[in-house]
Amino acid sequence: MRTRVRRYRTDDSGPLQGRVAVVTGSARGLGEGLAYAMSRRGARLALVGLEGERLARLAAELPGPAAHWHADVTDADALAAAAEAVRHTLGEPSVVVANAGVALGGPLLECDLRTWRRVIDINLVGSALTARCFLPGLLRTRGYYLQVCSLAALAPAPLLTAYCASKAGAEAFAHALRAEVAHRGVGVGIAYLSWADTGMIREGDRTAVFRELRAHLPWPASAVHDTAPFVRSMVRGIEHRSAHIYAPPWLRGAQAARACLPSVVAHRSRQVLAARRDGPLPPTGLLGPGGAAAAAAPQSGTTELPGPPELPDQNPSLRPGEEPWPYDTN
């Protein structure tokens, strides 16, 4: 827990000046970018994640006061200890960003069930635990909680069942939490983000699953964006305690059209996946260096889970009198 070497000019007049900001999953990618941006605006950074060496290096490089804590967001005890240590080391948090997240691609029946559940645990349960453990401090500072979500919460896609379910759940959680704490002065925001150029996405693009997904997405949904504009949008949203942050801005349109997006996605996916004639799309495992760290972290309270089920033949024979489920249903 070292304070840093000053290498950048900080903003001594903005709304983040002197405030404590907690960022989970801050060792790399968007979390790292947010840490730099908020530190340059005068915030005191609490970095929480699994990659201790990278967190320590980042804390030392930030231009303002910073400290780091090794904690798995699915471990309630570790998070509670980190929240208490942040309060004693840096002060009560005014900003908490639930950024930690992982992704897994592949057909549901072929995904390892333990890995599938790990995505849900980190992206959804981990976000809820982050809010719960740091909420007492936010109540005291009348602070702001930001839930990092995704285009996947607006337009769920095939081959990403765990990721889409977790991000849609995290979105619903944030909406419910906002209604629960608004009268006590705490703001809750949701950041809807498209594809960002992070290690997770770069590794995903080397897999058959993600190549298949992005190859059939219309522009601009298929584009991968530099992280810097995303970070700027998120920091502006934090400073203004925004209820919704969209990066890129065209995601506002996806929000407006979300009622019809699942039907559009399902129609297009039926065409694309049927044309593959059940070609192999092996599961990816947890993606990126952050995914590797999450996969390696010890997990408590787990039980032995069954492996993938055997898939039936493509055209199984039916018993006499048995009718197949109608393919076109409403």
Side-chain angles (χ1 to χ4, degrees), residues 38-97:
M38 288 194 289
S39 183
R40 287 196 290 268
R41 285 162 172 77
R44 303 163 62 85
L45 265 296
L47 312 174
V48 179
L50 289 172
E51 299 178 79
E53 291 184 4
R54 285 188 64 95
L55 292 173
R57 185 164 59 249
L58 177 59
E61 292 176 352
L62 292 179
H68 70 281
W69 287 269
H70 182 277
D72 186 330
V73 295
T74 68
D75 186 333
D77 292 337
L79 269 182
E84 185 67 13
V86 168
R87 185 171 70 87
H88 286 292
T89 305
L90 296 173
E92 296 283 15
S94 292
V95 176
V96 175
V97 182

Side-chain angles (χ1 to χ4, degrees), residues 33-275:
L34 276 174
Y36 274 112
M38 288 194 289
S39 183
R40 287 196 290 268
R41 285 162 172 77
R44 303 163 62 85
L45 265 296
L47 312 174
V48 179
L50 289 172
E51 299 178 79
E53 291 184 4
R54 285 188 64 95
L55 292 173
R57 185 164 59 249
L58 177 59
E61 292 176 352
L62 292 179
H68 70 281
W69 287 269
H70 182 277
D72 186 330
V73 295
T74 68
D75 186 333
D77 292 337
L79 269 182
E84 185 67 13
V86 168
R87 185 171 70 87
H88 286 292
T89 305
L90 296 173
E92 296 283 15
S94 292
V95 176
V96 175
V97 182
N99 170 71
V102 293
L104 161 72
L108 174 63
L109 283 178
E110 297 179 22
C111 289
D112 173 73
L113 187 53
R114 189 183 299 275
T115 306
W116 194 95
R117 290 173 70 167
R118 182 69 167 148
V119 175
I120 302 292
D121 284 344
I122 292 174
N123 295 1
L124 175 54
V125 179
S127 294
L129 291 176
T130 297
R132 178 181 173 88
C133 290
F134 287 98
L135 187 57
L138 292 178
L139 288 170
R140 286 189 281 268
T141 61
R142 298 172 69 85
Y144 176 79
Y145 172 86
L146 178 62
Q147 176 64 59
V148 176
C149 279
S150 166
L151 173 60
L154 304 176
L159 308 177
L160 290 174
T161 52
Y163 186 76
C164 292
S166 64
K167 289 301 185 180
E171 178 200 30
F173 166 76
H175 281 307
L177 182 64
R178 179 189 300 137
E180 187 173 309
V181 299
H183 71 288
R184 302 186 67 178
V186 176
V188 176
I190 303 170
Y192 297 94
L193 310 177
S194 187
W195 306 90
D197 186 17
T198 63
M200 182 174 76
I201 299 303
R202 287 193 292 271
E203 182 174 325
D205 278 346
R206 292 193 287 269
T207 69
V209 168
F210 272 72
R211 286 197 302 270
E212 187 73 18
L213 275 171
R214 294 214 307 112
H216 297 284
L217 286 173
W219 188 89
S222 60
V224 174
H225 304 268
D226 183 72
T227 59
F230 285 24
V231 168
R232 287 195 295 270
S233 295
M234 293 168 74
V235 172
R236 282 196 302 270
I238 291 169
E239 290 180 328
H240 291 90
R241 299 167 61 93
S242 299
H244 303 95
I245 299 168
Y246 298 96
W250 62 261
L251 283 177
R252 291 181 181 275
Q255 177 75 278
R258 69 183 300 170
C260 64
L261 287 177
S263 296
V264 173
V265 171
H267 176 74
R268 178 59 176 157
S269 298
R270 177 187 295 181
Q271 296 174 331
V272 170
L273 296 179

